[in-house]
Amino acid sequence: MRYYVLDRGDELSIKLAEQFHKLAAERNLELDAESPEIVISIGGDGTMLHAFHTFIDQIPNLAFVGVHTGHLGFYADWQAEELPTLIDYMCGVGDSMPHKPRIVQYPLLELEIHKKSGSTSHIALNEFTLKGVDGTVVIQVDINDVTFEMFRGDGLCLSTPSGSTAYNKSLGGAMVHPSIEALQIAEIASINNRVFRTMGSPLLLPKHHHCDIFSRKDQRLLLTIDHNNIPVDDLVSVRCQVSDKKISFARYRPFPFWNRVREAFLV
């Protein structure tokens, strides 16, 4: 099996990465930075986002495993002290036989950003946000090529089901099970009065729908794709829809989504 490890860079994560390499060498696992079958993320959810974007061009051909050393490891199945057990499960030795990973796939968000200076395509694991730099954002929101609303406020957050537990949750959005292929639109401090109106509630769009966001004034904007920031001052539009691609996670033991939610927010 070909593997790669990406760690958060703190002392504990680096130590665990070194331990993983040592155990992997003893089991004849092959370290491969170019075309791994399994990518091990050691850290927090931010580390998993970094790992995802590092190997984004290879996501149809690999799976991710998270080892938690951060404050909130929503994507992580394993604790730091369980590293030897994870290696056993990956190699199918000892009491772990004949465990094989169950591949679980989560939906992703596809973005087409159109600027006066050119167009780019992106994929998000958690969310895409659009915010104003200098003041109130003025954008037109279309759903399936029909104008839905003229939004004024701080911005919008469009999230995947797995990302629904992140920034979207703090905006009052719903938590969505990853088996539901959808994207969620949540407002960030919208303006609602006698003159300006927005829906004021999160919206959930199914896979076969799309959303277009049009800039309706000269404005400096900050676009964020997961942890990556893109300053833009010439935005024309952004098309958002559920991607045909999915991220794969290798599950060597059960860890249901609602158990993750409970452990992350209630325990």
Side-chain angles (χ1 to χ4, degrees), residues 154-165:
D154 284 358
L156 291 177
C157 172
L158 291 92
S159 64
T160 65
S162 52
S164 69
T165 60

Side-chain angles (χ1 to χ4, degrees), residues 5-200:
V5 175
L6 195 149
D7 66 76
R8 189 172 57 176
D10 62 288
E11 183 178 354
L12 174 59
S13 298
I14 293 173
K15 181 179 179 180
L16 289 173
E18 292 172 349
Q19 180 185 0
F20 189 95
H21 289 308
K22 181 179 179 180
L23 293 171
E26 293 173 356
R27 302 290 171 77
N28 296 317
L29 297 183
E30 179 185 351
L31 176 62
D32 188 338
E34 300 299 325
S35 57
E37 299 170 84
I38 297 286
V39 173
I40 312 298
S41 166
I42 301 180
D45 286 344
T47 312
M48 180 61 76
L49 290 174
H50 181 48
F52 168 74
H53 284 277
T54 299
F55 290 94
I56 195 167
D57 294 332
Q58 301 182 46
I59 54 174
N61 305 313
L62 57 80
F64 294 86
V65 174
V67 178
H68 171 48
T69 63
H71 298 293
L72 180 61
F74 197 86
Y75 285 117
D77 293 1
W78 300 86
Q79 300 293 327
E81 64 274 11
E82 297 179 308
L83 210 59
T85 304
L86 171 59
I87 288 282
D88 286 346
Y89 273 54
M90 290 178 63
C91 299
V93 299
D95 294 336
S96 68
M97 293 182 68
H99 289 304
K100 291 184 178 180
R102 183 170 68 96
I103 302 300
V104 177
Q105 294 188 315
Y106 284 5
L108 301 170
L109 179 62
E110 181 178 309
L111 305 163
E112 296 177 11
I113 300 175
H114 302 286
K115 303 180 292 182
K116 294 177 183 178
S117 56
S119 300
T120 54
S121 298
H122 305 268
I123 298 289
L125 172 56
N126 264 11
E127 73 264 315
F128 162 72
T129 63
L130 181 152
K131 296 181 180 179
V133 174
D134 302 312
T136 300
V137 170
V138 180
I139 51 177
Q140 176 182 320
V141 179
D142 288 11
I143 296 177
N144 296 339
D145 304 315
V146 177
T147 299
F148 183 77
E149 67 178 8
M150 189 68 70
F151 175 89
R152 290 173 174 82
D154 284 358
L156 291 177
C157 172
L158 291 92
S159 64
T160 65
S162 52
S164 69
T165 60
Y167 190 19
N168 168 78
K169 180 180 181 295
S170 70
L171 297 172
M175 286 185 281
V176 181
H177 194 281
S179 64
I180 301 173
E181 297 185 74
L183 68 87
Q184 186 167 183
I185 307 172
E187 299 178 352
I188 306 172
S190 60
I191 296 175
N192 280 284
N193 52 37
R194 291 184 300 170
V195 180
F196 304 124
R197 299 294 299 168
T198 69
M199 178 56 64

